[in-house]
Amino acid sequence: MQPVLTKNINTPDSHRLSVYEANGGYQALKKALTQMKPQDVIDAVKASGLRGRGGAGFPCGVKWNFMPKEKKGPHYLACNADEGEPGTFKDIVLMNKDPHLVIEGCAISSYAIQADTCFIYIRGEFWDGYKILKEAIAEAERAGYLGENILGSGYSLRMILYKGAGAYICGEETSLMESTESNRGMPRLRPPVPAQRGIYGHPTTVNNVETLSNVPFIVERGVDWYKSLGTNERNTGPKLYCLSGHVERPGVYEDELGIPLRKIIEEYGGGVRGGKKLKAVCPGGTSSAFMTPDQIDTPMDFDSVMEAGSMLGSAAIVVLDETVCLVQAAVNVMEFYHHESCGQCTPCREGCGWLLKILRRIEAGKGAKEDLDLLLDIMDNMKGNTICAFGDGACMAPESLIRKWRPEFEAHITGKRCPFNGRGG
Ligand SMILES: Cc1cc2nc3c(=O)[nH]c(=O)nc-3n(C[C@H](O)[C@H](O)[C@H](O)COP(=O)(O)O)c2cc1C
Ligand code: SF4
């Protein structure tokens, strides 16, 4: 596939406005503001089938239609540039290498939902991304693509780059809104949904960086072109896949949404490192269930990965080879979730701690026979019983590892040691 989202990233000085404009940049914004009404943009995005690239795959145009059409006060767009899911590093490529694409996507999308202000909420550790985006916003303002009366259209937009402090939970949309208001980043109960009461109580739409970066192409090249990409009607457009772990060539690769997982691992990634055997693969970041090697022909689209018992999520593929101890992998994942839980809900706060403690015990060869069922029982009590999806996400990887590789967990318990690193005994 001809690169779409990443078409500019290897051009020298791709982050500069002059380079972006020379490659056709901001023509889509011009077209939207001069030839389309806000609802036309929403309808085009809806017809394109673009599904959110932040994890849940919710149809973007449908979400935009939730915004009230009557304006009783400010409307906001929040561009979610927090990117904290372990294994995910695609949005940062767009921000560092093509910041004007992100800005143009935000500007057109803000126009569509009639937002007066667009917040770009960027992860605290993204120092380069912050600097690059800040300069790019200033360039865009000077050129009249942001600010008052953009391109003489009568539409005005203020863009605010807001830096978080690097908490995974601040990527959750309601937590992001709290954090944007300078409160502690803790998810809010829903309803009300953000389109009813968002940042400072005003209607807000939250979209991922990659989702918004698709919008200029839909406006410029049209719905039919967009739908010609992707492998089925429900999963359209280009997609960025993050590939990491035990592969020869980790990286961010662009192709159509829905290509087989095998193609990403073997063709783009050069296969498992050192010719070793594939043991387990996580298709959508650590909040998704691990898949077995016989599932790597699964198409990487939202529905097929779900049917295979996992989640496309942010398409953060983590490959584990045969040398990995999967109990250790479960411990690693739980350490992350235990550290990052905001602590608001008892099942999540206490559950993550218990899961970690028991998994560590098993990995050290000190587990009991009952521990595996105890782990599954704790997870059952966490799932669906928390304010946000973090609690469920925390269970996905460890649960899949226990269910699919149970003998490996049992071997740690009966052998009283880790068969991989010999710990315990
Ligand atoms: C714990 C947690 C962390 C999340 N982190 C991110 C993130 O870093 N970036 C992101 O775009 N979405 C993240 N999400 C999903 C957002 O809540 C939201 O669904 C998304 O930004 C919506 O954008 P989209 O419709 O364009 O996908 C996270 C969700 C949860 C539960
Ligand atoms: S599920 Fe966890 S992270 Fe989400 S609100 Fe509850 S305690 Fe916080």
Side-chain angles (χ1 to χ4, degrees):
M1 189 195 86
Q2 284 286 333
V4 178
L5 301 167
T6 55
K7 74 181 170 71
N8 293 332
I9 65 169
N10 294 318
T11 312
D13 285 333
S14 59
H15 61 291
R16 292 269 167 240
L17 176 61
S18 53
V19 176
Y20 187 65
E21 284 177 323
N23 286 311
Y26 287 110
Q27 290 306 314
L29 177 65
K30 213 172 273 176
K31 180 174 172 187
L33 294 184
T34 56
Q35 298 174 30
M36 298 170 86
K37 295 196 176 66
Q39 189 62 43
D40 296 337
V41 182
I42 297 182
D43 291 344
V45 168
K46 196 169 164 206
S48 76
L50 169 63
R51 294 174 70 173
R53 305 309 201 220
F58 194 81
C60 184
V62 175
K63 187 191 272 190
W64 289 2
N65 259 331
F66 294 156
M67 288 292 276
K69 301 285 181 259
E70 257 178 60
K71 284 194 73 174
K72 295 194 182 121
H75 283 189
Y76 297 133
L77 175 72
C79 170
N80 192 339
D82 197 58
E83 193 163 53
E85 178 85 5
T88 312
F89 42 89
K90 60 184 180 66
D91 296 342
I92 191 63
V93 171
L94 296 175
M95 291 188 276
N96 281 355
K97 294 290 180 182
D98 208 356
H100 284 287
L101 173 63
V102 179
I103 293 168
E104 186 175 11
C106 286
I108 299 171
S109 308
S110 296
Y111 171 69
I113 60 167
Q114 287 294 283
D116 326 85
T117 304
C118 170
F119 295 93
I120 301 184
Y121 184 94
I122 187 166
R123 165 159 284 263
E125 290 97 334
F126 289 170
W127 285 98
D128 288 345
Y130 179 79
K131 218 174 125 251
I132 292 167
L133 265 175
K134 202 167 174 63
E135 281 170 16
I137 290 170
E139 271 188 318
E141 279 170 353
R142 283 196 297 274
Y145 296 127
L146 294 174
E148 292 296 315
N149 190 19
I150 299 171
L151 304 171
S153 65
Y155 175 65
S156 303
L157 178 69
R158 190 164 58 134
M159 191 167 283
I160 297 174
L161 184 61
Y162 192 90
K163 185 133 78 68
Y168 172 56
I169 194 57
C170 288
E172 193 281 336
E173 61 184 8
T174 59
S175 187
L176 179 150
M177 298 188 312
E178 280 292 314
S179 179
T180 303
E181 293 176 16
S182 300
N183 300 322
R184 189 168 159 185
M186 301 214 288
R188 295 177 184 170
L189 273 172
R190 266 171 288 209
V193 295
Q196 295 168 305
R197 268 184 72 84
I199 295 172
Y200 300 118
H202 295 295
T204 301
T205 291
V206 182
N207 276 128
N208 168 261
V209 168
E210 184 188 349
T211 312
L212 297 170
S213 300
N214 274 266
V215 173
F217 298 105
I218 296 170
V219 167
E220 196 191 321
R221 301 186 189 179
V223 168
D224 290 341
W225 166 82
Y226 192 83
K227 286 171 70 174
S228 73
L229 297 176
T231 47
N232 62 59
E233 269 288 300
R234 283 178 46 84
N235 293 276
T236 54
K239 182 75 194 91
L240 299 181
Y241 298 98
C242 312
L243 182 64
S244 65
H246 299 152
V247 286
E248 293 288 353
R249 291 189 299 272
V252 174
Y253 298 103
E254 180 175 11
D255 206 322
E256 296 182 49
L257 180 57
I259 58 163
L261 179 55
R262 182 188 293 282
K263 182 176 181 190
I264 303 166
I265 297 175
E266 294 181 358
E267 278 182 37
Y268 289 118
V272 179
R273 66 171 184 184
K276 293 208 167 56
K277 268 207 266 177
L278 175 67
K279 185 166 185 181
V281 55
C282 175
T286 53
S287 302
S288 67
F290 273 89
M291 291 163 79
T292 47
D294 61 347
Q295 293 184 297
I296 68 163
D297 289 309
T298 303
M300 286 289 281
D301 67 57
F302 291 103
D303 302 306
S304 304
V305 183
M306 185 84 80
E307 271 164 36
S310 188
M311 247 177 61
L312 182 69
S314 50
I317 302 157
V318 184
V319 173
L320 302 184
D321 73 17
E322 57 187 321
T323 65
V324 174
C325 167
L326 293 179
V327 181
Q328 177 80 64
V331 170
N332 276 347
V333 169
M334 270 335 290
E335 277 173 349
F336 173 78
Y337 286 96
H338 181 236
H339 182 262
E340 297 290 329
S341 167
C342 86
Q344 219 181 158
C345 326
T346 312
C348 174
R349 184 188 63 239
E350 301 301 323
C352 286
W354 284 2
L355 295 179
L356 177 59
K357 207 167 156 182
I358 299 167
L359 285 166
R360 277 187 177 146
R361 183 161 84 206
I362 297 172
E363 206 272 332
K366 298 189 171 71
K369 230 174 55 221
E370 305 72 41
D371 278 349
L372 297 181
D373 290 330
L374 178 59
L375 283 168
L376 294 174
D377 186 48
I378 294 169
M379 291 179 204
D380 268 354
N381 283 296
M382 288 168 69
K383 287 187 292 179
N385 290 324
T386 53
I387 292 174
C388 86
F390 180 105
D392 287 35
C395 299
M396 290 302 162
E399 181 178 358
S400 63
L401 292 172
I402 295 171
R403 291 199 190 279
K404 294 178 185 170
W405 287 271
R406 194 170 172 122
E408 191 161 315
F409 285 74
E410 287 167 345
H412 282 72
I413 296 168
T414 51
K416 298 193 185 312
R417 59 173 59 242
C418 170
F420 291 86
N421 62 24
R423 220 174 311 161

